[in-house]
């Protein structure tokens, strides 16, 4: 939802507009607040830049966890809870009390998208939050539908210690990725220089994502969480132009 | 307005202070009014290499904390006109360097000088960040080995994100100086080559300084190596000053010297 400020033509000082957004859904499968804290800490630590100030939609239906406690622990880790997803009455009132939005039916959001020009009810966050089937047994799971949005283009070399993340889309690096640097994308990663650092594509779980580079010397390549470190990369492909992709959940590296 | 040049590397012991001393001396020898500042508060060395350690009365930290004025703290070089040294304080630590204070001193120096050379301490902590924050240009000193190259790469990343120019959306102009280079060891595959380092760091090469015992002797005697005409390292620094000032000077000392028949016979 966005407020647009219109000075010339509109007679209204504020305007409500419907808008499609992609939000990460945080599903909690346990009421154990300590366990949630520990798991969140380990996830956030792995990609601090990625999680910083990330808005999340809470799905607490199955857990029976105390909402204020969850909100507090999320904020501690730098996440920003914006709404609860399909809550029961008790959680819904707790959410309202905590200043969060309530989202009841994903279809409502879809309809809102179709009628984007029409005003949207206050208090409802417009979001496309697709549910994904539960596969892992982890108590905390971050899922999202990685809608492909703008491609991020980096024109300078990515230096040691730098981290570049293309949220929601592809990443194109025109220079080299140095040892000790890390590039991440929800979609594909294209590197036109040498890849000497770490490249992680499909970090939100897109197993169709690929990594392309003109000279492979990576410390690590990963797609949707499946990774290979430099020791495991065959000498046959190292130093060559390659693409990296997932085939039957196995990470394959093939010359271009 | 003076041009502010930071000499930095990330890693310690690669030749930052040696380079700062020779670079500043070289600029002054060519008629540019130059000051070289030691940012390594607590571990000051530049005064030794410049040979003015007995003449330090007030230092950089004194000026920042307004305990003395610039005139009192600037040490005029005895050999070269136009060359001044601002020593670091040995008794304080890096916290004495405040951004506002450093900025004020550099601004004051800018009015009088053509070049301000900032000798950065090793690491990427406060002293190093302060040395590079106000820089217009950066000289990155690297040894031909992987850890030094990686640290330089890290520093280049910081230069493009945490400097005043970066905050204004401008670039800090970057120069690479490769020091302690031994062409023979490169040929034997024991050392990274100039091309290897340039490929990884992807910034323009200003000069290659060969490994030389003259550098240690120069430090011990308090005479910047650029003043030793017979020394290869000194010649390399002279070349790179000319190159910096816009002359087209070919790179020397990057190829292994061919051994003559006699030398080979003698096993030298």
């Amino acid at each position: 939802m966005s407020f647009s400020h219109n000075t010339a033509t509109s007679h209204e000082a504020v305007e409500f507009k419907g808008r499609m957004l992609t939000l990460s859904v945080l599903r909690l499968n346990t009421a154990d607040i300590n366990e949630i804290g520990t798991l969140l800490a380990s996830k956030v630590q792995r990609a601090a830049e990625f999680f910083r100030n990330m808005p999340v939609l809470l799905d607490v239906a199955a857990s029976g966890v105390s909402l204020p406690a969850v909100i507090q622990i999320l904020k501690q880790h730098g996440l920003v809870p914006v709404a609860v997803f399909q809550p029961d009455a008790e959680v819904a009132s707790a959410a309202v009390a905590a200043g969060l939005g309530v989202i009841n039916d994903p279809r409502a959001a879809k309809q809102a998208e179709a009628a984007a020009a029409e005003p949207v009810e206050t208090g409802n966050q417009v979001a496309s939050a697709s549910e994904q089937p539960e596969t892992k047994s982890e108590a905390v799971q971050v899922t999202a539908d990685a809608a492909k949005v703008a491609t991020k283009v980096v024109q300078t070399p990515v230096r040691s210690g730098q981290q570049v993340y293309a949220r929601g889309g592809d990443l194109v690096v025109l220079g080299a990725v140095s040892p000790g640097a890390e590039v991440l994308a929800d979609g594909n990663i294209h590197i036109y220089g040498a890849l000497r650092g770490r490249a992680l594509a499909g970090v939100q779980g897109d197993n169709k994502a690929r990594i392309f580079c003109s000279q492979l010397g990576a410390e690590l390549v990963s797609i949707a969480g499946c990774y290979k470190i430099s020791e495991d990369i065959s000498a046959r492909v190292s130093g060559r132009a390659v693409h990296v992709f997932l085939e039957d959940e196995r990470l394959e590296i093939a010359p271009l | 307005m003076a041009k502010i040049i930071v000499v930095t590397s990330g890693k310690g012991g690669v030749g930052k202070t040696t380079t700062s001393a020779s670079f500043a001396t070289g600029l002054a020898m060519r008629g540019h009014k130059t000051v070289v500042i030691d940012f390594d508060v607590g571990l000051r060395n530049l005064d030794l290499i410049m040979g003015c350690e007995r003449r330090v009365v007030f230092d950089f930290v004194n000026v920042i904390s307004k305990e003395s004025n610039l005139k009192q703290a600037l040490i005029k070089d005895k050999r070269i006109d136009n060359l001044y040294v601002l020593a670091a304080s040995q008794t304080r630590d890096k916290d004495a360097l405040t951004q506002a204070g450093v900025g004020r001193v550099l601004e004051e120096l800018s009015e009088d000088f053509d070049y301000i050379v900032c000798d950065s301490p090793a690491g990427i902590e406060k002293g190093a960040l302060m040395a590079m924050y106000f820089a217009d240009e950066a000289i990155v000193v690297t040894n031909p080995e992987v850890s030094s190259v990686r640290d330089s790469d890290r520093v280049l990343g910081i230069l493009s994100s945490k400097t005043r120019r970066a905050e204004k959306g401008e670039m800090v102009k970057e120069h690479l100086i490769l020091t302690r280079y031994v062409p023979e060891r490169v040929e034997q595959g024991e050392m990274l080559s100039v091309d290897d380092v340039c490929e990884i760091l992807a910034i323009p090469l200003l000069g290659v300084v060969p490994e030389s015992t003259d550098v240690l002797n120069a430090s011990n005697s308090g005479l910047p190596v650029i003043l030793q005409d017979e020394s290869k390292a000194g010649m390399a620094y002279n070349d790179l000053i000319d190159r910096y000032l816009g002359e087209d000077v070919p790179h020397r000392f990057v190829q292994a010297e061919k051994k003559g028949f006699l030398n080979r016979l003698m096993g030298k």
Side-chain angles (χ1 to χ4, degrees):
Chain A
M1 190 179 327
S2 73
F3 294 93
S4 81
H5 198 78
N6 213 330
T7 50
T9 53
S10 173
H11 302 292
E12 290 174 297
V14 292
E15 240 184 299
F16 284 109
K17 284 195 172 175
R19 192 166 158 195
M20 278 292 286
L21 292 174
T22 303
L23 276 181
S24 292
V25 179
L26 180 67
R27 176 178 297 164
L28 304 177
N29 300 326
T30 176
D32 184 347
I33 202 77
N34 292 328
E35 193 184 352
I36 293 172
T38 317
L39 283 163
L40 271 179
S42 76
K43 277 195 181 293
V44 170
Q45 193 191 7
R46 263 187 281 169
E49 190 59 32
F50 171 64
F51 283 109
R52 187 171 302 142
N53 297 327
M54 183 170 86
V56 290
L57 198 55
L58 289 174
D59 184 354
V60 297
S63 68
V65 73
S66 145
L67 196 62
V70 171
I71 293 171
Q72 194 194 351
I73 206 149
L74 287 179
K75 287 183 174 166
Q76 270 172 19
H77 289 98
L79 297 169
V80 183
V82 291
V84 288
F85 184 65
Q86 286 188 308
D88 55 31
E90 193 186 334
V91 175
S93 60
V96 172
L100 297 193
V102 174
I103 293 176
N104 277 317
D105 187 352
R107 282 189 183 173
K110 294 262 162 64
Q111 282 162 6
E113 174 205 5
E118 284 175 22
V120 182
E121 263 184 67
T122 337
N124 269 13
Q125 285 281 344
V126 182
S128 84
S130 78
E131 272 197 89
Q132 290 191 353
E134 190 71 77
T135 47
K136 293 183 189 158
S137 58
E138 267 189 319
V140 177
Q141 201 184 339
V142 179
T143 58
D145 55 343
K148 296 291 188 297
V149 286
T151 297
K152 184 169 191 166
V153 181
V154 178
Q155 311 221 29
T156 53
V158 184
R159 304 284 185 189
S160 181
Q162 291 180 326
Q163 192 182 45
V164 178
Y165 172 52
R167 186 187 295 265
D170 289 1
L171 176 65
V172 176
V173 180
L174 299 185
V177 176
S178 291
E182 190 169 69
V183 289
L184 310 103
D186 289 350
N188 305 306
I189 297 177
H190 307 256
I191 299 161
Y192 289 90
L195 168 58
R196 303 192 185 93
R198 300 152 67 98
L200 300 91
V203 291
Q204 297 268 33
D206 180 3
N207 53 20
K208 297 277 191 298
R210 292 186 179 216
I211 298 168
F212 306 83
C213 73
S214 62
Q215 194 191 328
L216 181 69
E219 295 170 335
L220 177 145
V221 285
S222 158
I223 288 169
C226 292
Y227 67 89
K228 266 190 181 169
I229 56 172
S230 60
E231 275 187 359
D232 303 333
I233 295 174
S234 128
R236 199 171 52 82
V237 288
S238 88
R240 300 185 60 178
V242 298
H243 63 144
V244 185
F245 53 96
L246 272 185
E247 200 169 70
D248 300 331
E249 309 214 334
R250 274 177 50 86
L251 197 71
E252 298 288 338
I253 303 177
L256 282 172
Chain B
M1 276 298 280
K3 203 168 263 179
I4 303 175
I5 306 165
V6 60
V7 178
T8 181
S9 72
K11 197 170 184 296
V14 297
K16 280 182 299 297
T17 303
T18 298
T19 298
S20 299
S22 283
F23 196 77
T25 305
L27 288 172
M29 282 160 66
R30 285 156 182 77
H32 303 286
K33 195 171 179 191
T34 304
V35 56
V36 54
I37 308 176
D38 192 351
F39 274 77
D40 205 348
V41 176
L43 292 167
R44 81 174 195 218
N45 282 152
L46 181 70
D47 51 328
L48 289 170
I49 292 182
M50 295 296 293
C52 64
E53 73 277 11
R54 292 166 191 278
R55 293 193 287 139
V56 179
V57 182
F58 294 107
D59 56 47
F60 189 28
V61 172
N62 292 139
V63 184
I64 286 175
S65 54
K66 298 186 179 172
E67 290 154 12
S68 79
N69 62 35
L70 258 179
K71 255 204 182 98
Q72 293 170 301
L74 282 173
I75 305 165
K76 190 178 183 322
D77 192 87
K78 282 189 170 166
R79 297 161 294 230
I80 312 287
D81 282 342
N82 298 319
L83 181 60
Y84 293 80
V85 180
L86 193 49
S89 174
Q90 184 69 350
T91 53
R92 306 287 290 273
D93 62 28
K94 263 71 171 177
D95 291 333
L97 299 173
T98 60
Q99 187 163 308
V102 172
R104 182 178 56 81
V105 175
L106 290 180
E107 197 175 321
E108 204 174 320
L109 287 168
S110 284
E111 291 166 13
D112 268 0
F113 286 88
D114 300 324
Y115 290 98
I116 302 172
V117 178
C118 302
D119 180 23
S120 168
I124 49 173
E125 276 74 46
K126 188 162 187 192
L129 293 178
M130 279 300 113
M132 68 173 73
Y133 182 77
F134 295 96
D136 300 310
E137 302 193 9
I139 291 176
V140 176
V141 183
T142 304
N143 287 170
E145 49 108 7
V146 284
S147 60
S148 174
V149 173
R150 176 175 296 190
D151 289 0
S152 295
D153 194 57
R154 179 90 170 90
V155 161
L156 284 164
I158 295 170
L159 280 166
S160 62
S161 61
K162 291 193 176 162
T163 53
R164 182 171 60 169
R165 284 194 159 233
E167 284 170 8
K168 288 194 283 185
E170 298 166 11
M171 292 291 292
V172 174
K173 193 174 178 193
E174 297 151 342
H175 309 272
L176 175 65
I177 295 183
L178 198 53
T179 55
R180 309 195 68 167
Y181 197 70
V182 186
E184 290 78 12
R185 297 191 64 189
V186 173
E187 283 194 350
Q188 287 162 12
E190 296 171 356
M191 204 176 243
L192 292 175
S193 71
V194 180
D195 293 340
D196 291 338
V197 178
C198 287
E199 197 201 325
I200 296 171
L201 295 180
I203 60 171
L205 178 69
L206 185 60
V208 179
V209 181
E211 175 78 302
S212 163
T213 51
D214 301 328
V215 173
L216 184 64
N217 294 338
S219 304
N220 289 338
S221 59
L223 187 75
V225 72
I226 195 170
L227 294 173
Q228 302 196 6
D229 297 334
E230 302 296 303
S231 155
K232 281 182 187 172
M235 290 187 244
Y237 276 114
N238 266 307
D239 283 2
L240 68 86
I241 294 284
D242 290 336
R243 222 171 274 131
Y244 177 80
L245 294 172
E247 277 180 50
D248 192 12
V249 186
H251 288 280
R252 293 193 274 176
F253 317 115
V254 292
Q255 300 294 331
E257 282 174 43
K258 295 277 177 288
K259 281 187 178 177
F261 175 71
L262 246 172
N263 280 341
R264 227 177 300 171
L265 213 63
M266 308 283 281
K268 277 188 185 170

